[in-house]
Amino acid sequence: RPFEAVLCHYVAPILTIVWWLVMGNHTGLVWYDAIVWCVVPFAWTAFVILYAKLHGPIGKRKSAWPYEYMDLEALGLKRWLINGFSTAFGCVVLGFLYLGLAYFV
């Protein structure tokens, strides 16, 4: 289902950012909002970890992990932690970029 994947992973995030920049209320934003916004990705990651451990393989995949960079069994703990912290850091950086854009819009 490549069309759905493109919509989910590219079109929806871009449209969300555009909507937030054009229509969002930027008053009252503070620097730590960029960190608070990471609650949702962290909660999703916790859900995925529990789901992978309890449920098993997803659909036709042989892995219980939705993305290769999250596959603990294939990566090993060290690489998995590096990927996780890198992703978390990326989320915080994106949050600060959004804040920077909000000040100019």
Side-chain angles (χ1 to χ4, degrees):
R1 301 182 181 188
F3 180 71
E4 290 88 355
V6 169
L7 285 177
C8 178
H9 292 96
Y10 297 99
V11 175
I14 291 169
L15 290 177
T16 301
I17 294 166
V18 170
W19 177 88
W20 183 75
L21 289 171
V22 174
M23 304 293 288
N25 181 1
H26 305 127
T27 59
L29 290 175
V30 292
W31 69 269
Y32 56 82
D33 285 333
I35 298 168
V36 172
W37 293 335
C38 289
V39 169
V40 172
F42 288 141
W44 179 81
T45 301
F47 167 77
V48 168
I49 292 168
L50 284 172
Y51 187 87
K53 291 299 179 185
L54 297 175
H55 186 271
I58 300 170
K60 296 178 183 178
R61 292 174 45 98
K62 293 182 176 149
S63 173
W65 302 91
Y67 301 103
E68 290 178 17
Y69 80 95
M70 297 180 83
D71 191 337
L72 178 58
E73 287 79 20
L75 297 171
L77 183 60
K78 181 179 177 183
R79 183 77 235 172
W80 186 81
L81 287 171
I82 290 170
N83 289 352
F85 283 110
S86 300
T87 303
F89 180 75
C91 287
V92 172
V93 168
L94 278 175
F96 281 113
L97 287 173
Y98 294 161
L99 278 176
L101 286 172
Y103 287 117
F104 293 109
V105 174

